[in-house]
Amino acid sequence: MPIDKEALREKYAEERAKRIRPDGNDQYIEFKGQLSHYLADPYTPFVEREPKRDHVTFAFIGGGFAGLVVGAKLKDAGISDVRIIEKGGDFGGTWYWNRYPGAQCDTASMIYMPLLEELGHVPTEKYAHGAEILEHSRNIGKKYGLYENALFHTEVTGLEWDESAHRWTVRTNRGDAFTAQFVGMGTGPLHVPKLPGIPGIESFKGHSFHTSRWDYAYTGGDANGAPMEKLADKRVAIIGTGATSVQCVPHLARTAMKLYVFQRTPSSVDVRDNEPIDPTWFRNIASPGWQERWYENFVGNQSPTPPDEDFVQDGWTEISRRIRSKVADLPREEMTPETVLAAFEDADFEKMEEIRARVDTIVEDRETAQNLKAWYRQLCKRPCFHDEYLQSFNNPNVELVDTGGKGVERITGKGLVVAGTEYEADCIIYASGFEVGTEYKRRAGFDMEGRGGVKLSQHWADGMRTKHGIHVHGFPNAFIVQPTQGANLISNIPHNIVDSAKTIAQVVTHARDVKADEVEVTKEAEEAWVELLLTGMGLIIGSQECTPGYYNNEGHAPGPAARLNVGYPSGAKAYFEYIEEWRQAGAYEGLEFR
Ligand code: NDP
């Protein structure tokens, strides 16, 4: 049957309108005061230590993939005193905190897990589970000697440039005040959990926790997938149906006496098709340089000129392939920006119709199936992939409580209220996500102070300004690791990290070789890079027409600063080619070594 595009557009707009709220990001509340216990680390005991007052060559904030990979590349370059400062009790970043049952990468492990080749690790599954990824993170820390100098359970509170000493002073919540010639920041985009500001949230008398602080002591089971047998006599309510909830609901469904899934907006849930990695197959493909070739192949598949073969074949390369083939069907003479966007929309309508049809083939109860269908374009929200989530709603103990786009109305001492009905629960699990739209300094917990005492928030008052997304004028010897203003490859963040780590290690090595105390991007080079970024098409996700969420500032118009949250105009593949040439040239165009 042909797709009625106009009817779908209307339906999408109607569903969006139900969800738009005047309070936008302010609907979420911080874990402060009475709620701060939610943030406690359930995984690692706190150990007292003396404050550090020494000096290191390189201090890196964040012990997730960014800190680990930068640390590894620096060690390879012969920088022996690298100190990683991490608020968690161990390395792993997002994989340290997110140990909820079923946690699993959504991008194929072969390209998601960094430094596989260097560690000689063969992922066990096409999409590895969290415990393996956390273990891999620890193994990177061990192999590169990054544990020796690391400060865990430590949060940076201040970072100040000391002009005369050409070094940074790093202050922390553990009383440390040490210096570093270079600093790096890789705090990740999703590390501050948020709670929905549901009236009465503090009055709940039962147990509750956020998915990023899973309480296995309460649920039983463990992060390796052991069943949560302590839930056998519990009524569990989970709030949220994003990527986290999609992965943990099947596990809760298996063991809880009763599971209520409170939904405001359904996720799009496509096929997962996970499978074990066959070591023989792996040996055949794993000739030296294999992971780099896979990175190139993946990013090539996201570009308009893909390689002949798709090595990765995951959900993301499938999305690109579909869009590309629709665009390729356009007769050459009809190829305009408008027809390309229309072809993109057609590919999207087809995909989303398939995803909605999949719900009907899996979910037995008609009303539940209808409520689980996502009415928006696939990239409006984080696409999900799972082969057990929708199936969970066929279990007699599982009940979807659809809130018609309005969210949970109220929380009482005994449970949750939706449309006037109270659902009693023993435990509430908040799968409510992480802060994204809030100010960077609130999320980071500090505001870096560069040359002349200028704060990073001041330098970026009108939007982020960098060269390559890494170097910032006025902040010498400092490096930022994140995808924006570089490749902006969001379907495989680790590739951005690995590439930035190469740049940083090479720049630091060069500074050492030429005996420079400082390296800094010039004002002109930063301006030129920003100008170049502004020649691009702008944001590819986060359209205002989308249903609200963190991709589009909860549906509110983005501030003027958002126009700079973009990547290299010619795309991720072109960026990686460009930066490789920039590194190879060895001229470090735009940087000044003094
Ligand atoms: P999300 O922000 O994606 O989801 C939060 C959920 O809470 C949404 O369903 C939201 O509904 C719901 N919610 C918020 N307020 C209320 C309310 N008042 N009443 C009812 N529901 C409410 O968080 P996640 O932790 O799921 O995921 C965050 C990100 O982390 C993902 O987008 C992804 O980038 C990453 N992630 C990656 C994984 C991987 O790669 N394997 C796995 C898990 C997460 P609404 O949609 O209406 O706002």
Side-chain angles (χ1 to χ4, degrees), residues 100 104 190 240-244 264-265 381-382 407-408 431-433 550:
Y100 58 83
Q104 186 184 20
L190 298 159
T241 48
T244 299
R264 189 165 68 180
T265 310
K381 279 197 178 273
R382 168 64 147 68
V408 174
S432 45
Y550 80 81

Side-chain angles (χ1 to χ4, degrees), residues 41-95:
D41 180 351
Y43 314 122
T44 314
F46 187 86
V47 180
E48 289 296 342
R49 65 168 173 81
E50 289 300 310
K52 296 281 182 193
R53 296 272 187 266
D54 54 353
H55 175 78
V56 292
T57 301
F58 205 108
F60 196 95
I61 304 162
F65 282 174
L68 288 164
V69 179
V70 171
K73 298 279 177 206
L74 288 169
K75 289 276 181 142
D76 274 348
I79 311 289
S80 56
D81 56 336
V82 177
R83 171 171 291 154
I84 295 179
I85 306 124
E86 165 56 48
K87 71 177 171 181
D90 201 342
F91 290 130
T94 200
W95 299 101

